Amino acid sequence: MPESPAIIRPQTTVVLAMSADGKIADETRSPARFSSSADLMHLQKQVALADGVLFGAGTLRAHGTTMSVSNPQLRQFRELQGVPTQPIQIVCSRSGEIDPQLRFFRQRVPRWLLTTTAGAKRWQQQESVDCRFERILVVDTSTGEIDWHNAFQQLTQLGIERLAILGGGDLVASLLQADLIDELWLTVCPLLIGGAAAPTPVEGEGFSWQQARRLELLGVETKEQEVFLHYRLQRS
Ligand SMILES: NC(=O)c1ccc[n+]([C@@H]2O[C@H](COP(=O)([O-])OP(=O)(O)OC[C@H]3O[C@@H](n4cnc5c(N)ncnc54)[C@H](OP(=O)(O)O)[C@@H]3O)[C@@H](O)[C@H]2O)c1
């Protein structure tokens, strides 16, 4: 679906690590911890460049925490830019079913929830102050899906100009479908995972090859055994 030129929205960059056979996790969707410390630093750099970080509730459930900016140089970089030390961590969930006991809620980061009317109800009933989201954005369609164009417009109005998208594949598929992705960083890691049910960077229904989204390669970097691919989405 071509994007409306009038939409004001954040610049978006997807950042994912995958196996050499294109899997971002194993079939059990266990936490993906197969990339190197260099890749984790690369991820942290991308987070440090962002005003907001968006990820699916499945990714949060798998990991229990989010990537915050902990590196002193990166924290200093943000201070010099005159932006808060930590970008806003935005969880997206239709259901709002997120365990308030997750360590995420004890991380020293600002937290927002992007959800539906039904998902928001769970959190509006939460009494405990220390596990709350600072902001709950309810932006749904009449069918109970997230209205991504509207959501992204609201994020811009709330000061988010650069958004890092950290997966998983379901979220990336929805955003690709809505034509809301500008760039991708894919780290190819030296392992093979296999398995038809193991997720890839883009899940969802997929595209026919005629409709497949085309990429422009902006750069390739190799560090030890990993390859860092930087792409821009081609716009028609
Ligand atoms: N290798 C990597 O770089 C990388 C990065 C991220 C994740 N992963 C791996 O991926 C796995 C988790 O991924 P996942 O398949 O569970 O995907 P996910 O996209 O993180 O989470 C799926 C959940 O997020 C919410 N969501 C996603 N798209 C949505 C949309 N369009 N509208 C509303 N809500 C939406 C829904 O939450 P509700 O169910 O609450 O409605 C959905 O069930 C884990 O194994 C994780 O380690 C790997």
Side-chain angles (χ1 to χ4, degrees), residues 40-112:
L40 292 177
M41 183 48 72
H42 158 77
L43 175 60
Q44 197 177 142
K45 269 187 201 156
Q46 296 307 313
V47 168
L49 288 169
D51 303 308
V53 175
L54 178 68
F55 45 93
T59 295
L60 178 60
R61 289 183 198 114
H63 293 255
T65 57
T66 188
M67 169 63 81
S68 61
V69 183
S70 58
N71 176 278
Q73 280 88 37
L74 292 176
R75 291 168 78 104
Q76 198 184 17
F77 163 80
R78 288 186 63 92
E79 266 169 39
L80 291 171
Q81 300 287 310
V83 297
T85 317
Q86 299 292 337
I88 294 158
Q89 300 280 342
I90 308 165
V91 188
C92 116
S93 167
R94 277 181 205 90
S95 68
E97 274 179 46
I98 299 164
D99 180 357
Q101 301 305 323
L102 289 179
R103 202 150 66 78
F104 171 64
F105 292 102
R106 297 195 298 279
Q107 286 183 276
R108 295 169 70 104
V109 293
R111 285 173 287 268
W112 293 1

Side-chain angles (χ1 to χ4, degrees), residues 15-19 23-26 28-35 39 43 55-63 91-98 114-116 144-148 165-175 187 199-200 203:
V15 191
L16 290 171
M18 64 181 196
S19 60
K23 304 293 189 184
I24 62 166
D26 63 18
T28 65
R29 297 188 186 224
S30 62
R33 297 210 169 97
F34 50 75
S35 71
D39 179 60
L43 175 60
F55 45 93
T59 295
L60 178 60
R61 289 183 198 114
H63 293 255
V91 188
C92 116
S93 167
R94 277 181 205 90
S95 68
E97 274 179 46
I98 299 164
L114 173 59
T115 189
T116 59
E145 290 297 318
I146 293 197
D147 178 341
W148 286 107
I165 297 160
L166 306 192
D170 283 340
L171 173 62
V172 174
S174 300
L175 297 177
T187 307
T200 66
E203 294 284 288

